[in-house]
Amino acid sequence: QYKGCPWRVRDYQYGDGIIGLHEEIDHFYRYVLPTPCEHAIRNEVVKRIEAVVHSIWPQAVVEIFGSFRTGLFLPTSDIDLVVLGLWEKLPLRTLEFELVSRNIAEACTVRVLDKASVPIIKLTDRETQVKVDISFNMQSGVQSAELIKQFKRDYPVLGKLVLVLKQFLLLRDLNEVFTGGISSYSLILMCISFLQLHPRGICHDKT
C-alpha cells in the first residue's frame, strides 16, 4: 500500500527543483479542494445557524464571508458568518445561549471573545464538528471577500499559493490571530502583493 503524502500521485515522477515543487503544489491543491459533499455539509451548518438567528431576530441578515465565501478554505477551516441587524449592544451572550439551548453547539465548544477588536462567538457545530466564527455588523468582511474573488480572477495562481501556505501555517499553529498567528486575510493580501510585485510575462494556470 502507498505510504507517501496523501496528495502525491502514485508513481508520478516529479521534475527537478522548482518544477517538481510546482507539480507537487498543484497536486496538493487538487487534493484539498472541497468536494461537493463538503460544500453541502457547510451550507447545512450555515442554514442551521441562520434559522436560530432568524427565530430571535426575524429582520437580521446572516452573511457568509472569509474563506468559505472566497473558496480558499482547507478541510479544517472554519466558517465565517456575520449577523447584520440593529442592536444598542452586541447580543453575543443572547446568541450564545440560543445556540447551546437549541443543540447547535455543545457549551464546552463555545467561546465568546467580547474583548477582541472584533467581538466574535467561536463554536463547533455539534453535528458536523465544523468550526464557526460569528461576528456582528462587520460589513467590511463581505466586501473583502468580494475583493479577493476579483483578485482570484486576475491571478489564477493565487488559490494554489494561498492554500499551500495556509496548510504550512496550520501545521505550525500560526494560523490564528488570537494565539499569535496571522489571519487568513493578511496572508492572502501578502500573496496578492507578491504577485503584483513579481509580474510574469504570462499569468495563467500553468505559470
Side-chain angles (χ1 to χ4, degrees):
Q1 192 178 347
Y2 177 59
K3 301 285 188 185
C5 296
W7 60 83
R8 293 190 68 158
V9 177
R10 188 173 183 171
D11 298 326
Y12 184 90
Q13 290 299 309
Y14 285 99
D16 293 328
I18 201 85
I19 299 300
L21 177 62
H22 165 80
E23 291 167 342
E24 190 172 353
I25 288 174
D26 196 48
H27 291 164
F28 172 80
Y29 177 75
R30 285 187 235 166
Y31 175 75
V32 296
L33 277 182
T35 63
C37 181
E38 285 172 323
H39 254 294
I41 286 169
R42 284 168 175 262
N43 281 324
E44 284 302 316
V45 174
V46 173
K47 279 183 194 167
R48 281 199 293 277
I49 293 173
E50 199 170 27
V52 172
V53 169
H54 286 155
S55 71
I56 322 169
W57 308 292
Q59 304 307 314
V61 174
V62 178
E63 291 261 25
I64 301 165
F65 68 104
S67 61
F68 188 40
R69 186 168 185 136
T70 61
L72 295 175
F73 65 93
L74 296 170
T76 53
S77 295
D78 52 21
I79 299 172
D80 295 297
L81 298 178
V82 60
V83 182
L84 307 170
L86 296 171
W87 300 280
E88 279 184 30
K89 190 181 172 191
L90 294 184
L92 293 150
R93 297 291 174 185
T94 306
L95 184 53
E96 176 198 18
F97 174 79
E98 293 295 333
L99 290 167
V100 172
S101 63
R102 293 171 195 237
N103 276 329
I104 300 294
E106 304 280 356
C108 61
T109 72
V110 183
R111 293 178 66 187
V112 176
L113 305 180
D114 51 0
K115 300 289 188 290
S117 54
V118 177
I120 57 171
I121 301 171
K122 296 180 82 69
L123 65 107
T124 303
D125 178 67
R126 188 178 55 82
E127 217 172 289
T128 63
Q129 296 305 298
V130 169
K131 291 180 169 58
V132 184
D133 284 1
I134 305 172
S135 57
F136 289 83
N137 288 346
M138 290 297 296
Q139 200 94 48
S140 60
V142 177
Q143 294 162 347
S144 300
E146 290 306 306
L147 178 69
I148 289 166
K149 281 162 79 173
Q150 180 56 56
F151 276 115
K152 274 181 74 184
R153 288 189 284 271
D154 295 343
Y155 298 102
V157 295
L158 179 63
K160 294 176 184 180
L161 193 55
V162 167
L163 287 186
V164 78
L165 289 172
K166 280 181 89 165
Q167 181 68 19
F168 178 86
L169 293 173
L170 170 68
L171 292 172
R172 288 155 181 79
D173 287 327
L174 290 170
N175 64 321
E176 286 274 15
V177 173
F178 76 100
T179 54
I182 185 171
S183 75
S184 173
Y185 187 57
S186 296
L187 178 67
I188 293 167
L189 293 182
M190 287 166 70
C191 290
I192 291 166
S193 176
F194 173 83
L195 292 170
Q196 289 172 330
L197 292 169
H198 301 81
R200 304 290 174 96
I202 2 167
C203 191
H204 55 69
D205 206 41
K206 298 290 178 195
T207 306

